Amino acid sequence: MAHYIAIIEDAGPDHAVGVWFPDLPGCTSAGDDIDEALRNAPEALELYAESFEADGKPMPRPRTLTELKSDPEIADDIKTYMVALIELPARAHAAE
């Protein structure tokens, strides 16, 4: 089962909490609070994976936190925001 690092941006009580995945450009999730945003994140991963599968492309390899910290495009975000490890849900048809 693949796990992807997520960056969690909490802009305060008057804004939605955003979640994005450095290894998956365009894959985002959100919620009214951090808990809801994190509950929604696996579904965002699943939809992203289904899109890749429909196009016949493999999902990008998830990088480790150490690898992301050494990426100058991501390093500041990791220092500034919370991070979480989100599991890509197993799809029912994959088991059939």
Side-chain angles (χ1 to χ4, degrees):
M1 192 66 52
H3 292 78
Y4 287 87
I5 301 285
I7 306 290
I8 304 150
E9 296 186 28
D10 186 357
D14 296 331
H15 302 281
V17 175
V19 175
W20 58 277
F21 300 86
D23 291 323
L24 306 172
C27 185
T28 62
S29 183
D32 290 334
D33 57 34
I34 291 171
D35 293 329
E36 182 179 27
L38 288 173
R39 280 192 305 272
N40 293 336
E43 181 180 7
L45 279 179
E46 186 173 25
L47 292 171
Y48 195 88
E50 286 174 2
S51 173
F52 264 70
E53 185 178 278
D55 292 340
K57 299 178 190 174
M59 281 286 282
R61 179 187 68 82
R63 291 181 284 175
T64 66
L65 187 56
T66 301
E67 290 172 313
L68 289 170
K69 283 181 173 182
S70 66
D71 181 339
E73 293 183 21
I74 307 298
D76 286 340
D77 291 323
I78 288 177
K79 290 178 188 173
T80 304
Y81 301 110
M82 289 182 284
V83 298
L85 189 62
I86 307 295
E87 182 177 11
L88 176 61
R91 294 186 297 285
H93 66 277
E96 298 176 347

